[in-house]
Amino acid sequence: MLYRVIGLMSGSSLDGLDIAYVHLLETRGRWTFEIHASSCIPYSPSWKDRLKNATSLNAKDYLYLHSAYGKYTGELVNTFIEDHQLAHQVHLISSHGHTTFHDPAKQMTAQLGNGAAIAAVTTLPVISDLRAMDVAFGGQGAPIVPIGERLLFEDYNLFLNLGGIANLSFHTKGNDTGSVIAFDVCPCNRILNMLAEKQGADFDKDGQIAAAGTVNKELLQQLNQLGYYNLNPPKSLDNNFGTHTIYPLIEATGITDQDCMRTYIAHISQQITTSIKNNINTIENVKLLITGGGAFNTFLVEELKKALKEINVSVDIPDEEVVQYKEALIMALIGVLRWREETNVLSSVTGAAKDSIGGALWLGAQGL
């Protein structure tokens, strides 16, 4: 069965809305994919501020933003469809939304982007609220991409996404879904981008700012001693851990921006390497696939490769389109699995009481 789907992803790094139009083919239980069109629509300064400050709004204004962002998302999708001549070709849209509140301990997670508004604007079926069912079952609601890694990237057993938050997925022997473990490692691009903005840049191109700095051992020790890193998976991070805990800690040191950036690169590398060391005893012939915007940070990737070489982990980076749009691709697959009423969130990853079929379905037109 062939599904033609648009996947939408807005990460915590606030770089923009990722849109991927993909073909997903299921043949006797095996899935393959092709990305036929893709685009990252940068957020305007106004939208970036609105999303960044969403958690400080009162309930009424937050709901207004939820609807407005859904309408805006739908308009961007319509433009994307027109630009790529996809009218009457798209079966459905699967939207992750933009995460704001995330407190799984209290069985709550929230993503901006009203699915009903997207469906109304596009007149297409929309699947949204992809994490909510897992959280209701007592899970972390994150990470949710491992189901897509298992089904679409069978040649790898270890996955690292360097997004706003860095997360790892470990796929042990066997094809059963219970053999997947995944968790958020540490804030990544969100912090790096905030530091780059102090230098007048949206991001640190190729890691040039960081490469000019020196590791501050005292700051690195403070970062590595934060309590989250002592927790065992399943575990996930709220964006506030980066913006309200880590960033003020970095700012308080008074060291140069270059040294801050270099030290934080060291922190990311150490936390990822430690996390892999603690789990690779369950995996043989470790092959790591790196994706996400951080994969374009040459300095960060080289630091990771040096560290991982010492523990015999081979590293691959796929083509640029997969690097940038892997999460949007997997959101499309998660939407298709929801449409088929098949498991799309794994309890072995999130710690939920059971695997779940997550996502709310909004039909944008009658007779579908």
Side-chain angles (χ1 to χ4, degrees):
M1 183 71 181
L2 176 66
Y3 300 89
R4 298 188 294 269
V5 190
I6 287 178
L8 306 176
M9 181 68 197
S10 177
S12 58
S13 56
L14 289 169
D15 52 351
L17 179 68
D18 288 342
I19 307 178
Y21 170 66
V22 304
H23 286 189
L24 293 162
L25 178 65
E26 185 271 332
T27 307
R28 295 186 294 276
R30 299 287 296 273
W31 287 90
T32 56
F33 72 90
E34 293 180 357
I35 300 176
H36 282 260
S38 58
S39 183
C40 179
I41 312 300
Y43 290 126
S44 66
S46 173
W47 267 111
K48 186 176 286 191
D49 286 343
R50 294 176 77 180
L51 295 176
K52 185 185 297 184
N53 298 317
T55 56
S56 65
L57 298 174
N58 61 47
K60 186 176 181 181
D61 287 338
Y62 180 88
L63 291 175
Y64 283 146
L65 180 60
H66 182 52
S67 295
Y69 182 65
K71 181 175 182 290
Y72 173 65
T73 299
E75 291 168 348
L76 292 181
V77 170
N78 282 344
T79 300
F80 177 85
I81 289 173
E82 182 178 353
D83 289 347
H84 295 279
Q85 300 179 323
L86 299 175
H88 310 298
Q89 296 185 49
V90 181
H91 289 149
L92 62 94
I93 298 167
S94 182
S95 175
H96 175 272
H98 186 85
T99 298
T100 49
F101 300 99
H102 184 68
D103 191 353
K106 296 182 180 178
Q107 295 188 303
M108 185 277 290
T109 188
Q111 285 75 42
L112 285 170
N114 187 342
I118 302 172
V121 171
T122 63
T123 68
L124 287 166
V126 172
I127 293 170
S128 63
D129 299 324
L130 305 178
R131 300 179 186 271
M133 191 74 253
D134 180 82
V135 171
F137 276 127
Q140 291 288 311
I144 60 172
V145 297
I147 184 71
E149 294 165 342
R150 168 54 60 94
L151 296 177
L152 298 179
F153 298 93
E154 294 181 332
D155 292 339
Y156 296 91
N157 47 22
L158 181 56
F159 300 86
L160 171 63
N161 181 66
L162 296 172
I165 293 171
N167 50 64
L168 280 165
S169 301
F170 299 81
H171 296 245
T172 57
K173 277 189 171 181
N175 293 319
D176 60 294
T177 56
S179 62
V180 182
I181 300 170
F183 52 90
D184 289 340
V185 178
C186 62
C188 185
N189 294 341
R190 183 68 183 274
I191 299 299
L192 295 176
N193 291 353
M194 290 173 73
L195 291 170
E197 287 171 3
K198 295 177 65 182
Q199 293 283 307
D202 290 333
F203 60 95
D204 184 11
K205 182 174 174 57
D206 298 327
Q208 294 175 6
I209 300 173
T214 302
V215 174
N216 182 289
K217 293 182 179 180
E218 182 179 350
L219 172 59
L220 181 60
Q221 183 178 27
Q222 287 180 298
L223 292 169
N224 287 335
Q225 288 178 343
L226 291 169
Y228 176 81
Y229 302 124
N230 295 320
L231 300 177
N232 294 319
K235 60 181 182 177
S236 61
L237 281 170
D238 184 281
N239 291 332
N240 286 347
F241 181 71
T243 58
H244 290 38
T245 300
I246 284 182
Y247 188 74
L249 187 64
I250 295 172
E251 283 281 87
T253 62
I255 62 177
T256 68
D257 296 338
Q258 290 85 350
D259 288 353
C260 287
M261 191 85 78
R262 178 65 185 89
T263 304
Y264 200 70
I265 290 282
H267 173 64
I268 294 170
S269 180
Q270 287 186 16
Q271 288 304 321
I272 289 170
T273 303
T274 299
S275 296
I276 292 175
K277 279 182 180 178
N278 291 341
N279 287 275
I280 59 172
N281 61 321
T282 62
I283 304 176
E284 296 179 6
N285 301 316
V286 181
K287 296 177 63 178
L288 170 66
L289 186 72
I290 299 180
T291 56
F296 299 120
N297 186 321
T298 308
F299 184 71
L300 171 58
V301 170
E302 288 304 315
E303 290 297 299
L304 280 169
K305 284 183 175 179
K306 284 190 290 186
L308 295 175
K309 185 178 181 180
E310 296 180 4
I311 56 175
N312 299 315
V313 173
S314 63
V315 176
D316 282 347
I317 297 178
D319 67 78
E320 185 172 322
E321 196 167 40
V322 173
V323 166
Q324 186 160 347
Y325 297 103
K326 175 185 158 221
E327 288 203 320
L329 161 68
I330 291 179
M331 294 310 135
L333 176 65
I334 288 173
V336 168
L337 294 173
R338 165 64 180 87
W339 185 267
R340 289 163 59 101
E341 298 185 358
E342 296 176 2
T343 294
N344 62 3
V345 183
L346 304 177
S347 59
S348 68
V349 172
T350 67
K354 56 190 285 189
D355 291 348
S356 60
I357 303 170
L361 171 61
W362 311 89
L363 294 176
Q366 293 181 343
L368 294 172

